[in-house]
Structure formats: structure tokens, C-alpha cells
Amino acid sequence: MKVKRLAAALFLVLAMMVNIVGCGGGDNAAKDAGGDKEKIFVFARSGDASGLDPINVTDGESLYVTQQIFDTLLEYADDSTDLQPGLATEWESAKDGKEWTLKLREGVKFHDGTPFNAEAVKFNFDRWRDEKHPNHQGDFSYYTYMFGGFPGIIQDVAAVDEYTVKFVLTQPQAPFLANLAMATFGISSPEAVKQHGEDYFKNPVGTGPFKFVKWEKDQQVVVEKNAAYWGEKAKVDKIVFRTIPDNSARLMELQSGTIDGMIGLNPDDVETIKNDANLQLLMRPSMNVGYLAMNTEKDFLKEQKIRQAINHAVNKQALIDAFYAGLAKPAKNPMPPSLWGYNDEVKGYEYDPAKAKALLAEAGYPDGFETTLWAMPVARPYMPQPKEIAQAIQQDLAKVGITTKIVTYDWQTYIEKGENAEHDLYLFGWTGDNGDPDNFLYVLLDKSNTVKGSAGNVAFYKNDRVSSLLVDAQKESDQSKRDKLYKDAQVLINEDAPWVPLVHSTPPIAAKKSISGWLPHATGTECFVGVDKAE
Amino acid sequence: MSDTASLQLKANGPQPQINDKESKGLWADALKRIVKSKISLLGLIIVAVFLLVALFAPVIAPYDPISDSDLVKRLEAPSNDHIMGRDSQGRDVFSRIVYGARISVKIGVISVGFALILGVTLGALAGYYGKWLDGIIMRLMDILLAFPSVLLAIAITAVLGPELRNAMIAIGIVYTPHFARIVRSTVLSVKATEYIEAARAIGCSDLRIIMRHVLPNCIAPIIVQSTLSVGTAILDAAALSFLGLGAQPPDPEWGAMLSDGKSYLQKAPHVMLFPGVAIMFVVLGFNLLGDGLRDALDPRLKQ
């Protein structure tokens, strides 16, 4: 009995440790998926896709898969957000940007054999923007973010002839073409959408370089090469997207060779990759922001001085040195410096606890106050270790007298509660989708995005002057004027301090040395058509 | 079961000694037996050290477990100044483990205390009144027992919200049936004895009979069960904290420390190793002591 108990106690503790080291190896998808001749690229990330219908997802984990299966009308260049032809080959605007006519690529077929043409494009846009469309099944939230509701600013989509489609807008939208290139606006096969109805998100059919094969929830998604692809054909025969939640476990699988590449690398492990002769380190160009949103509707955080005090209290450089292995820059604006329109004149708030205390005293709280600090439960590209960062910020705030309690929920709940304004201080972040400042400033800080339940502006920051600048910038087509409008908006935002902008990170990616042609894109996902694997 | 009845007599003091002459009463005898057995003595020592560390944590710990952080020196290996090194926030691991002992004592006492009070009450009611009340209470206990304990605790904390307090409540609920069963079986056997009948005959109330004449018979098995439960409760709470359902950062709870350290298993194993060892020793200590107590308090082994 004694021995048994002793063994049980030992076993349990060891099991907890072993669990972390050894888990995840259950599924040798790569090996049993095919014979020796097939080239399979096994890619791993922390979470599974939430759906495979690109218009009905907003998370990178889902878009990573749909990006392989679908094409968009326009595409981004491999190394920038410059636009290049996709399913559309030529485009021109008329009536001051209120009309766009796109010439479509001829001879393209969806994976199910349905021909791609103007009718197919019209079907997709009608499905997205018309709530009464029989196939408008889902929440289509990205459509509303970019085009302002249903039907939003896209008034009409018309098939002029077999390969010409015309968009009529209610107002000019400067980033219109850039929006069309976003992975979420991938074009689906109308026949497949009609056939699968509500289950389309499990049966995606596009025109992309890879065809959907199967999806085992929380395990893997498999896609195979589309031999009839219109462009340069894929170099590998299959891609397996594996889900391995723990960052360290995923790295161990890479080291042991059961996966070929991974995202979600702990910055602390960057050195490990550099020192491993079999592995290579890739860098995703930085186009993101990690931030601490302050709910401007809550008691203390209503006060501008308190928000400024919190800005002065956080030591960003220390966070970067400790948790980003130096692979990040401290942020002072809500948008990254790699985008045009970034205002480098804005000073930001330097780390100065004494100044923070003085501001707190001015605001009437010389002894600080108590509040909650929300931390994401999962690693994000802009914040690889949110819980650690929360603890460090907690200490920073404690030094100026602000006592915080760290709160966390599972990822979905965390987002929902944030959109419902239940939080005080809220760690969050954003990776740009289309390289336009609108995609940061309007989505994250405009007053129209503070609707509880679907807020993108989780500081619930409402400033009419900022809002009119942002809306004007959307309608303006002259880039130098837009640049000025965005720069002005950043000055006002900095003064009001609805956030503590924390970092712009350069997310590290790891792959085997034998992998070539993987070009990490700033938008957070990229097509693997050029990825090759040397045997 | 008349064994426990006679035990009770002795436990209450001035009764004539029935058995061997050397007996100095239940507790003195038990302590003697524990000290005699090396393995249970080891358990006793571990538990005593653990309690002393918890009691004198502020004196023992060289640094503050939370505010003495230094991000620049994070993950520093063990050295003379920091004998267990620093964790991912640059805090002293040794100080955190010392303060963590306090949290573990709290977990052990509160969650087992909760289970004890609830379990003894339910068990006594079920055993004493029997019939439909017995049926309802014990079936409820059976349902609780049918779940794997950690799974049930996870479900309860998931409902109540991830907090140490809720984890303790969850563990308390999970452990309740064990106490209820022990008490009920003892009550059932004692209920039929003549002295209970006598007590009832002279007009004692049910409450008085249960408290004064029935429950004291259960003390020995309850002590054994409590001691063993404290060890497993600490382990379960650590598991819940490891999963993020128990103690929240920056509390230096051992399970949470394990969880924090797992990202650095390769780079800085000390961050995970020491809390793991601490959990192992304390659980081991309580298990050894619990087993020792069982042997010491079981009168069948007395001769």
C-alpha cells in the first residue's frame, strides 16, 4: 500500500512533466498520408482553423488554410502589399472612384470544374453583401469591417460580359483595391456554395494552387496540389496543417523532424534555432501592433491623465528585451512604422514612473487605485507570451501605486468579453491585412467600431475629430492628402492616450533547412505555392 | 466495529484500562508508533518542515516572491544569491517556493476542511436517519464518486471561474463523498449499540446523541482520511493551477510555477524542477504520514 501510494505520487508529478515534453506525437500524418514519392510539407501552428470559408473567418489560423485553396481578384506582391493581378488581370476606375471595372482571367476553373467568370464573382459579392441572399449563411464580419455593413458601400456588382465585372460604390473608397486582395475575399465556387449550404465552411472549393482534401478538427487539415492551376503550379504534392497548442512541444516536434515548419516560436527559442544545423530561422516582416487598450468607459480610465500616467508607467523596452528577444520595436503610435502615413513626429510617452505618479496625483489619485488587467490565453504574433507580459506590466503599474488583478479566459470568451466592454485594461493586438493605415486606425480606433458585441475598438474610444479625419481619409483618393489626415489623427490619438501602444514585433518562424521558397508575408499569412522540400 | 467503540472509551480519558498496561491513551500510543516506524517518521518530519516553512515564510525567504522581479536577470541559473535561480520574471525561485508553501497549506486546510464539514454532516445524517434521506444523500455521493476527481474539479472550476478560491471549493466538493462514506458506515454500526439506546432512553436529543456519542467513534478514520486528503488536495490544486484554473499569476502557487516554467524546460530547467520537487515531497510526506497514522490508530494491530 505504501509503495503503491509512493509510486502514485511520484508518477503523478513525473507525468505532469513528461506530458509536456512528450505530447503531440500521436499522429504521424505526414508518414501515413502517402508513399515515398509524394512531397509533403507539414506545417504546425498553435490553433486549429475555425472554419474554411474565408469570408466567415477573421483569424490567421483559418486564413492560413484558405489562402492555399482560394484566389482573390487582386493579390499582394510576395514581399510587400503592392497590388498585382490575381483572378482579375486589369482594373480601372471611373466617376471619381465610384465605379470600378475589372477584367477577369480567362480559362480558370474552380476545383469542382465550375468555370470562373463574371457571374461567379457577382455571386460571391451578392452572397456576402445581401442579407437576403439564400446563401448568406454566417456572420460575414470581415465584409462589414471593410465595406461598412450590409450591403455597405458596394451598391451593385454587375457582370458586363463573360469576363468583365463592374462594381458601383456609394462613395469612393481609397483602399478598395487593396481590400479586394485580402485573403478573406477569396472567390468561392458558386456551385459548391449552393450544394453545401451551411456546411460550406467544411467543404471549401476555390481556384487556388491547392485543393481541399480533409479536415480533422483540432488535429489536421490536408490540402493537395491542384495540377490544373492557372499560375505557377505548387512544388509540393500535399500540405498538412497540424495543430500543436504548446509552443515548446511544437518546437520539439520540429527538432525531431515530424514537422517541416512552424509559426508561434517563443522568442527565447530563437537562439536554439540558430544553433541547430538542421533548422533555419525566417522572419515575418513587421506589420502589427501589440497594445494595452484602456476601456475609456470605465471609472478611472475615463480620465485622460490616468491613461497618460499608465503610458508613462510601462517600461516597453524592458518587455522587448525580456519577451521578444529584441525582435520588436517599442510602439508609440497605433500603426506600424512600415506603413505610409506613420507619424514619426509623435513623441509618445517615455518610461518615467515619477511622471506617472505626478499625473496620478493631478488626477486625484496620489495613492493609485485597483483595477483588472486582462491577458490573452494564447500566443499571438504580436505577443508571444501574453501572461508573462501581463505580469511584467503588473509590476510596472504596482511601482506607481496601481494594483491590478490579472484576468484571463479562453480565447473565444476573451474576444467576446472584450467586444462587450467587460474589461478594464486589455492586452490585444492586430496584424495588418492590406497595408493601408485605414486597416489600423479606422478598424481599431474609430467611434463607429465601438458597437458592443462586435467592437474592433476595444478601448471604446470616441473622438469626433479623429473620426472625421479617418472617414475623410477613406473618401480621399490623393495619397499625399490621406497621409496628412492619418498623421493628424495620430497626434490626437496620442494626446487622448486610449491605448498604451506596446510593440511592433517581427514574428520569428522556424523551418527545416530542407525547406525552400517559404516567403513570410507581412499580412500574417502567405501562399505556399512556391514552397519546396529537398529530400 | 465494537473495536472503535472501545477506542472511543479510551480516547475520552479516565475509563479503566482494558488492554495492555503500557498504553498511555490513544494519542500518545499513536505518536509512539509513528516515531517507531522510520517511514512514517519521515512523513512526519516532511510535514513538520513544510508547516514550519509556511509559518515562517517571511523570515526564511530572502526576497519578496512577487515584487522583487528583475527582467534583465530572468532565468538566471542557481547561484549563491539565488540558490534555486530566477524565474521568467526574474524573481527568486526559492522565495516563491517558500511562500508557495503557505498557499499549499491554505489549500490543504480549506479544501479538506470544506470536504470534512460537508462530508461528516451528510454522512452522519444519512447514517443516523437512514431511509429515504440515506438513499438520496448516498446516491448523490455515488454520482460524485463516479467522476474522475480531477475531471470533476475542472468542470466545477470551469463553471465557477478560474480562481484559487474556486479551485479549493471544487476540490472540497470532490473529496466530500470519501468522508461521507466513512462517517456513515461508522454511524450505522454504532447506532445499533446499547449505549445509544440508553442515551435515547434517558431522553437525549438526536443532535446530542450524534455529536457526543456517535461522531467521536469516527475520529480516527477521519484523521487518517484527512491527512491523506491534504496531500492529494495539494496535488489536485497544483494540477488545476497548472491548467490555468487555479491560482492566477503572480501568486507563487507551485502548480502555477510549474506551468510558467514549462516554456523554459530546455533553456532553464531549474524554473520547473524545484516546484515539481516541492510538490512531490509534500505529497509524499502527507501520504507517508497518513499511512503511518492509519497503522498507528488501527487497534487491530495493537496486540
Side-chain angles (χ1 to χ4, degrees), chain B residues 147-161 166 170 174 240 245:
Chain B
F147 285 100
S149 65
V150 172
L151 187 71
L152 183 58
I154 289 174
I156 295 170
T157 34
V159 172
L160 297 175
N166 295 340
V174 169
L240 287 178
L245 294 168

Side-chain angles (χ1 to χ4, degrees), chain A residues 2 5-6 9-10 12-13 16 20-21 246 248 255 266 268 322-323 385 388 391-392 394-395 406 408, chain B residues 39 66-67 69 71 74 88-89 91 235 242 249-250 258 262-267 272 276 280 284 291:
Chain A
K2 260 178 224 158
R5 238 171 228 293
L6 180 107
L10 276 169
L12 277 171
V13 176
M16 286 170 79
I20 300 138
V21 182
D246 188 74
S248 327
Q255 288 170 319
N266 278 342
D268 277 314
F323 304 112
Q385 293 166 299
E388 299 272 13
Q391 290 190 55
Q394 185 180 45
Q395 284 310 310
I406 294 177
T408 190
Chain B
I39 196 107
I66 292 167
S67 66
S69 61
L71 286 179
R74 62 198 289 269
S88 62
Q89 295 279 335
R91 297 171 296 211
L235 191 60
F242 183 85
L258 267 186
K262 73 174 196 289
S263 309
Y264 310 103
L265 195 54
Q266 284 179 313
K267 257 192 92 180
M272 200 175 178
M280 191 193 75
L284 182 67
D291 278 340

Side-chain angles (χ1 to χ4, degrees), chain A residues 286-305:
Chain A
S286 177
M287 191 168 76
N288 60 33
V289 60
Y291 60 89
L292 179 71
M294 295 179 265
N295 187 344
T296 55
E297 293 182 343
K298 285 287 178 82
D299 287 346
F300 307 104
L301 304 172
K302 258 193 260 179
E303 308 275 340
Q304 182 189 9
K305 284 207 170 112

Side-chain angles (χ1 to χ4, degrees), chain B:
Chain B
M1 265 305 167
S2 57
D3 287 338
T4 35
S6 66
L7 241 175
Q8 188 264 334
L9 293 178
K10 271 184 284 166
N12 281 358
Q15 276 88 6
Q17 289 181 5
I18 305 167
N19 286 335
D20 51 310
K21 282 175 196 156
E22 301 103 87
S23 179
K24 300 267 191 328
L26 176 71
W27 302 114
D29 282 1
L31 187 67
K32 216 162 84 187
R33 281 208 193 83
I34 285 176
V35 175
K36 255 190 203 160
S37 149
K38 281 197 186 100
I39 196 107
S40 26
L41 180 64
L42 179 67
L44 185 68
I45 292 172
I46 294 177
V47 170
V49 168
F50 166 66
L51 292 176
L52 287 174
V53 166
L55 190 61
F56 295 107
V59 183
I60 297 169
Y63 301 93
D64 186 278
I66 292 167
S67 66
D68 277 338
S69 61
D70 185 350
L71 286 179
V72 177
K73 293 183 179 147
R74 62 198 289 269
L75 304 177
E76 217 174 51
S79 64
N80 282 339
D81 282 345
H82 300 271
I83 54 170
M84 293 181 184
R86 290 179 186 254
D87 72 358
S88 62
Q89 295 279 335
R91 297 171 296 211
D92 181 43
V93 175
F94 176 68
S95 303
R96 285 177 69 73
I97 287 188
V98 168
Y99 274 92
R102 287 197 151 183
I103 297 181
S104 294
V105 169
K106 200 165 98 182
I107 292 165
V109 170
I110 295 181
S111 55
V112 174
F114 184 90
L116 185 83
I117 293 169
L118 201 61
V120 169
T121 312
L122 290 175
L125 287 177
Y128 191 78
Y129 291 105
K131 295 185 191 130
W132 59 270
L133 190 63
D134 185 31
I136 291 174
I137 293 177
M138 293 324 286
R139 290 307 76 74
L140 203 66
M141 295 297 117
D142 287 345
I143 291 171
L144 285 180
L145 276 175
F147 285 100
S149 65
V150 172
L151 187 71
L152 183 58
I154 289 174
I156 295 170
T157 34
V159 172
L160 297 175
E163 244 183 273
L164 186 59
R165 187 193 61 196
N166 295 340
M168 293 191 287
I169 293 174
I171 293 168
I173 293 174
V174 169
Y175 286 7
T176 299
H178 301 282
F179 289 96
R181 281 196 164 182
I182 289 170
V183 172
R184 174 178 174 268
S185 65
T186 312
V187 170
L188 277 182
S189 61
V190 172
K191 198 169 74 168
T193 56
E194 285 166 358
Y195 71 91
I196 300 293
E197 210 173 307
R200 198 172 286 143
I202 60 169
C204 288
S205 68
D206 283 354
L207 184 68
R208 187 181 163 86
I209 294 175
I210 291 175
M211 296 304 283
R212 294 297 298 273
H213 302 293
V214 177
L215 282 186
N217 291 291
C218 315
I219 284 179
I222 284 178
I223 284 176
V224 173
Q225 180 65 32
S226 301
T227 314
L228 291 170
S229 297
V230 167
T232 44
I234 291 173
L235 191 60
D236 285 354
L240 287 178
S241 297
F242 183 85
L243 296 171
L245 294 168
Q248 295 299 315
D251 285 351
E253 202 275 336
W254 294 343
M257 289 170 71
L258 267 186
S259 172
D260 282 349
K262 73 174 196 289
S263 309
Y264 310 103
L265 195 54
Q266 284 179 313
K267 257 192 92 180
H270 65 270
V271 181
M272 200 175 178
L273 180 70
F274 292 113
V277 170
I279 295 174
M280 191 193 75
F281 269 110
V282 168
V283 176
L284 182 67
F286 275 102
N287 281 343
L288 293 179
L289 181 65
D291 278 340
L293 276 173
R294 191 207 310 271
D295 297 346
L297 291 173
D298 193 334
R300 274 167 299 188
L301 297 173
K302 229 182 162 182
Q303 265 84 37

Side-chain angles (χ1 to χ4, degrees), chain A residues 72-83:
Chain A
T72 43
L73 292 175
L74 281 81
E75 288 175 2
Y76 302 119
D78 285 341
D79 55 355
S80 69
T81 47
D82 293 346
L83 296 171

